[in-house]
């Protein structure tokens, strides 16, 4: 089994989901008491958020690149950045290590393609919805994303940072997010990307007005495929 390196803590709420999903998937594929070989470096999210607010993506890139380097030095065979927003600096992190970085945007795009979905609504932080890196990454795969209007983008950003990253899940916020999906459906969206790794705490991708993809689950599944690629007897991922 190959060793999975996780850059986590952004937030620790979603990193806990990664840990659970990866281990559940490994157990499902190998059976018995099998679990994943994981290295986790959990960063201080408050420091990362301050860099985001200041627009210092260069310093954020250096911070996560150093984290990736520590994981690789400790024996990780791959690296995952356990957040969508910080994939804005994924290229810089990949350049810092010789092991592959499993990119959440590429993996989500391939999951959309497998289901022949081409016009997804992206629900995420304002950084992810507005900076262009996510749309550019999807466009490489022939997918054109939709995003909510400015008012709804601000509301979703506040739900993520003000509630979900602190472990708060609100019925009112769930209703607000579902209303955004209904609006996008009327405008031609054919699917929904839960494009922040905390949104799975709020929305069930199987119970939405449109087909949903949980980027956290997609990313975790890609890590498990990589880890078990050469493992005899592993069940094939669904």
């Amino acid at each position: 089994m190959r060793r999975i390196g996780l850059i986590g803590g952004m937030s620790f709420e979603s990193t806990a989901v990664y840990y659970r999903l990866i281990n559940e998937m490994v157990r499902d594929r190998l059976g018995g008491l099998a679990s994943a070989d994981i290295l986790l470096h959990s960063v201080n999210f408050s420091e990362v958020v301050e860099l985001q607010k200041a627009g210092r993506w260069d310093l954020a890139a250096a911070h996560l690149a150093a984290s990736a380097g520590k994981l690789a030095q400790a024996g990780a065979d791959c690296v995952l950045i356990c957040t969508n927003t910080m994939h804005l600096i994924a290229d810089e992190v990949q350049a810092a290590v010789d092991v592959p970085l499993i990119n959440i945007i590429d993996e989500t795009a391939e999951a959309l393609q497998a289901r022949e979905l081409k016009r997804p609504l992206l629900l995420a932080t304002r950084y992810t919805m507005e900076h262009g890196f996510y749309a550019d990454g999807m466009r490489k795969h022939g997918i054109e994303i939709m995003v909510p209007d400015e008012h709804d983008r601000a509301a979703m950003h506040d739900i993520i940072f003000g509630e979900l990253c602190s472990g708060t899940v609100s019925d009112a916020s769930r209703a607000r997010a579902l209303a955004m999906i209904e609006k996008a459906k009327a405008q031609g969206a054919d699917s929904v990307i839960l494009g922040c790794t905390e949104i799975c705490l709020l929305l069930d991708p199987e119970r939405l007005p449109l087909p949903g993809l949980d980027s956290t689950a997609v990313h975790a599944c890609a890590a498990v495929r990589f880890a078990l690629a050469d493992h005899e007897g592993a069940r094939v991922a669904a």
Side-chain angles (χ1 to χ4, degrees), residues 16 33 37 44 59 66 87 120-121 142 176 186 191 203 210 217:
L33 298 177
D37 186 346
N44 183 346
L59 296 181
H87 277 71
L121 170 71
R176 182 68 185 274
S191 52
L203 298 175
L210 289 169

Side-chain angles (χ1 to χ4, degrees), residues 11-214:
S11 66
F12 80 78
E13 298 286 346
S14 63
T15 303
V17 176
Y18 270 92
Y19 186 79
R20 176 179 57 80
L21 288 176
I22 290 171
N23 279 294
E24 287 177 347
M25 291 175 190
V26 167
R27 183 177 60 195
D28 288 345
R29 288 165 176 79
L30 300 184
L33 298 177
S35 57
D37 186 346
I38 294 174
L39 290 174
L40 167 63
H41 183 215
S42 186
V43 303
N44 183 346
F45 193 29
S46 65
E47 296 176 356
V48 175
V49 170
E50 288 306 310
L51 294 176
Q52 291 175 343
K53 290 179 178 178
R56 294 305 308 267
W57 299 101
D58 57 334
L59 296 181
H63 189 39
L64 295 199
S67 179
K70 291 174 183 176
L71 289 169
Q73 187 175 20
D77 295 305
C78 69
V79 172
L80 282 73
I81 303 172
C82 298
T83 166
N84 282 272
T85 294
M86 298 311 291
H87 277 71
L88 190 155
I89 47 88
D91 289 344
E92 292 87 336
V93 176
Q94 176 64 90
V97 292
D98 293 328
V99 300
L101 183 144
I102 299 178
N103 190 298
I104 198 170
I105 302 173
D106 292 336
E107 296 296 336
T108 302
E110 289 176 12
L112 287 165
Q113 288 177 321
R115 296 173 63 175
E116 299 184 347
L117 299 170
K118 300 179 179 179
R119 187 64 168 147
L121 170 71
L122 173 65
L123 296 180
T125 67
R126 291 193 72 155
Y127 307 117
T128 303
M129 292 187 285
E130 296 179 359
H131 269 252
F133 72 97
Y134 199 100
D136 289 344
M138 284 285 164
R139 200 169 291 119
K140 292 177 184 177
H141 296 269
I143 295 169
E144 291 291 336
I145 64 166
M146 295 174 62
V147 297
D149 61 33
E150 184 176 0
H151 185 65
D152 284 344
R153 292 198 302 272
M156 180 55 62
H157 186 88
D158 289 344
I159 290 168
I160 292 166
F161 279 97
E163 299 176 14
L164 300 180
C165 288
S166 300
T168 299
V169 179
S170 161
D171 287 339
S173 293
R174 182 178 295 109
R176 182 68 185 274
L178 289 171
M180 296 179 199
I181 296 170
E182 290 285 6
K183 188 185 300 184
K185 181 179 180 180
Q187 296 170 346
D190 65 4
S191 52
V192 182
I193 301 171
L194 306 188
C196 171
T197 53
E198 286 83 16
I199 297 181
C200 61
L201 302 172
L202 183 71
L203 298 175
D204 180 346
E206 301 300 321
R207 302 181 65 184
L208 299 176
L210 289 169
L213 283 91
D214 174 12

Side-chain angles (χ1 to χ4, degrees), residues 1-2 24-32 34-35 221 223-238:
M1 185 188 306
R2 295 172 179 169
E24 287 177 347
M25 291 175 190
V26 167
R27 183 177 60 195
D28 288 345
R29 288 165 176 79
L30 300 184
S35 57
C221 187
V224 172
R225 284 199 306 270
F226 177 88
L228 300 183
D230 301 323
H231 199 289
E232 293 183 7
R235 301 186 188 115
V236 178

